[in-house]
Every structure is written in C-alpha cells, then in structure tokens.
Amino acid sequence: MTSPNKRVVSGIQPTGNLHLGNYLGAIRQWVALQDSMAAGDQCLFFLADLHALTQPVVAGELAANTIEMAATLLACGIDPARSILFNQARVPAHSELAWILNGTARIGWLNRMTQWKDKAGKNREGASVGLFAYPVLQAADMLAYQATHVPVGDDQKQHLELARDIATKFNTDFAVDLFTLPEPLVSKAAPRIMSLRDGAAKMSKSDPSDASRINLIDDDDLIAQKLRKAKTDPEPLPETADGLEGRAEARNLATIYAALADTSVDAVLGEFAGKGFGAFKPALADLAVATLSPIRDRMTALLADRGAVSQALEDGAAKARALSGPTLRAAQAAVGLQV
Ligand code: TYM
C-alpha cells in the first residue's frame, strides 16, 4: 500500500506554548513542505492531544491549549486549504491502530526510549502506562497515513526509528506489504535549539524557567529582554563555526540567528566576528521580533474567533478520518479482526 506521492505527517503536543525551538526545528519546515507540495502530495499536521494525556492534565487547559496552538500553526502559515490540520482525538484510527501495534512493539524497545527515561525519571513505577506506550501511538500517527516524510526536531529521531521497526515487524509477522517506512526530515539549520539559560539543555515547554525559552506569544519587549539575559560567555564571537567549540551558549545564539536569517552560522560570524554579545544580542533581538511579531499579531486575530479555529480542525479531522480508514481496515484484516 505504498503511495507514489509524498505524504508528510507531523504533530505537536498542545501543552504549554509553542516556542522558538518548535518553530525553527519543526513548524517552519512544515510550512516549507506545504508550500513546495507537488500535485498528489499531501501534508497532514495535527495537535497531539492524546499524547498530552500521558502527563498530568487539566481538562479545560488542554482544550484551550489545543485551540490556541492550532491558531498558532495557522498564524505560522499552515493553510487548511492545502494541509490537513486536525486534533488527533477526533480521528479514532490513531488510537485503534496504536492498540493493534501494541501487539507488535516490544517492551525492550520502549524501555530504550530516551524520552521515556527522561520523563519517567527515577519514579518509573509511578509513571503512567500512557507515557511508556507513547511511542507506539506516535508510530500509529504516522503509519495510519502511510507517511513518507516526517519533519521533526532531532529529539524525535529515536521515535521515528522505533516506528520503522514496528512497521517492519508488523509487515513481516503478518506477511503483508502494508506500512510505509517513514523517513525523518530533521532541519539542518535548527535540529536542536537549546535553552537560553543552559546550553546543554534543549529549549522545552516543560522547563520550569520561562526565561529559558522564547514563546511565540511573548511580546517584543519580553523577547528582547530574554535574549539580553541569555547566558553567554565573555569572549567575542569567533570568525568561523569551529571557534564555537566548547561554547554551547554562544553556538546556540549564533544558530538561532542563522536560522532566523535563513543563512549559515559562518555567514553570521562573518558579520559579527570580533564583536561581543553586547553588539550581537540586540541584533538578534531585532531579527527575532521581526519574525515573531507578525505571527503573534495573526494569532491574536485568529483567536478572536475560536469557533472558526475549531471548525477548521473539525474539517481537517473529517479528511484525516477518510485518509486513515483504509489503512486501519487493512491492519485489522491483517491481524484477523473481522471488518
Ligand atoms: P513536541 O510537541 O515536543 O514538539 C513538536 C516539534 O518541535 C520539535 N522541537 C524542537 N526542535 C528543535 N529544537 C528544540 N528545542 C525543539 N523542541 C521541540 C520536536 O522535535 C517536534 O518535531 N512526540 C512529538 C509529537 C508527535 C509527533 C507524532 C511528531 C506525536 N505524534 C508523529 C511526529 C510524528 C512531540 O512530543 O513533539
């Protein structure tokens, strides 16, 4: 059941706010892929609300976050006339296929997932079953659509490899040529944007310090303030990227600048070599504000009509249900479930 066309599939958890790492590592790629689609290609992007249930949730907050994050994706350039945008919970094939794939995935495979180890921490016995099985649902998210390409940040590569292992084992065990093996598309410019407070930690929604990240809802002053206070070192900027060795925070800011300006780190250093962060940070803040403030304005306008955002998701879910139906039925048939 391999499709000759490109099927681009990716998701984001509607927890907290979208931040610059999500934007540069994933969403900007989603928009670029949507904008360069050939006839017959398809892009599907979703709010992974079922995945959000693997951590403690407040129902009202999850519902509001889902709409707000959908509005953010629309504001970033996802166009529901060209891409299928929806929330995962409205497409039952994700959960149904995940359950079938739970029979294929091995506990040993899931035990090796670094995200599971990080998130469960020392208290594995107290972690939810959902947190452990999370990568199987993620596999279903992609396999249900015969995804060919999955644009993600570097941190999701291991989950993509697992999805390929699950797909291969299922195809082999049931002697079918059902699931396409999805390819990760990791941004070269911004595979992993780091925290503004710690160059060794990923910029993350779950970091307790808001100063560690730039949220897409932050106003211009807050963006400039967070960048001004970003951790750096006293050395001036070097002439080439090699000179950033051992300077994780400096490397991160140069990477953010290059990604925002759509240029290379070497080109950025060509401009700022020998200058200190006192000169670099304001230039970076101007660039970040120029990129993010129009997105924030569009988001605010979209959120004036939450019903319309909700309707866009509902329309997308109907299309996603139709697309995932045949693969779900084929998987049911392969394992012997009456369909
Ligand atoms: P999530 O919600 O943590 O992040 C959404 C996307 O943003 C990328 N990302 C980053 N990229 C660069 N630097 C960072 N600091 C950074 N932080 C986050 C993530 O890699 C991701 O691409 N499990 C997924 C959601 C998901 C999914 C899927 C993705 C569910 N089903 C199926 C792809 C396909 C997650 O929690 O992403």
Side-chain angles (χ1 to χ4, degrees), residues 15-253:
T15 43
N17 293 307
L18 217 116
H19 56 69
L20 192 61
N22 300 130
Y23 178 69
L24 294 175
I27 315 304
R28 225 173 44 152
Q29 282 207 89
W30 297 6
V31 175
L33 285 160
Q34 163 195 278
D35 292 349
S36 64
M37 254 190 319
D41 290 351
Q42 224 140 16
C43 288
L44 294 106
F45 302 117
F46 61 91
L47 290 312
D49 48 5
L50 294 174
H51 277 102
L53 300 181
T54 62
Q55 301 269 27
V57 281
V58 178
E61 276 175 23
L62 178 57
N65 274 337
T66 302
I67 295 297
E68 280 154 29
M69 208 169 266
T72 315
L73 296 180
L74 294 168
C76 288
I78 298 299
D79 172 6
R82 288 181 288 155
S83 292
I84 301 179
L85 178 68
F86 61 100
N87 61 307
Q88 196 186 22
R90 299 291 294 120
V91 186
H94 292 245
S95 317
E96 294 182 38
L97 184 58
W99 185 256
I100 292 174
L101 298 179
N102 275 335
T104 300
R106 307 287 93 184
I107 287 182
W109 298 357
L110 297 179
N111 262 331
R112 285 196 285 275
M113 295 295 111
T114 51
Q115 202 152 305
W116 154 248
K117 291 188 218 168
D118 290 349
K119 289 199 174 160
K122 289 202 176 72
N123 183 22
R124 286 201 184 182
E125 296 292 311
S128 73
V129 172
L131 189 65
F132 185 66
Y134 178 115
V136 183
L137 177 60
Q138 182 159 349
D141 296 338
M142 300 174 256
L143 301 183
Y145 301 101
Q146 307 287 350
T148 57
H149 298 84
V150 181
V152 281
D154 186 56
D155 62 333
Q156 295 299 317
K157 257 166 69 181
Q158 198 186 30
H159 287 164
L160 264 285
E161 278 158 27
L162 182 90
R164 293 168 63 90
D165 289 345
I166 293 174
T168 305
K169 181 166 165 55
F170 186 99
N171 287 346
T172 310
D173 287 354
F174 297 101
V176 287
D177 181 20
L178 175 57
F179 294 125
T180 306
L181 304 193
E183 287 286 342
L185 290 179
V186 177
S187 153
K188 286 198 178 60
R192 185 178 287 250
I193 297 295
M194 308 309 278
S195 153
L196 300 179
R197 309 299 306 159
D198 174 3
K202 175 181 86 163
M203 185 178 284
S204 159
K205 286 175 248 186
S206 52
D207 192 316
S209 162
D210 192 60
S212 70
R213 62 185 161 261
I214 292 180
N215 302 302
L216 267 58
I217 53 162
D218 289 347
D219 65 28
D220 295 353
D221 289 344
L222 191 55
I223 294 173
Q225 189 198 97
K226 285 180 178 177
L227 287 170
R228 203 167 48 242
K229 291 193 178 155
K231 190 174 165 206
T232 42
D233 56 45
E235 301 299 316
L237 282 154
E239 275 166 24
T240 62
D242 292 344
L244 292 169
E245 200 54 48
R247 299 177 64 187
E249 286 84 10
R251 177 186 292 280
N252 189 41
L253 293 189

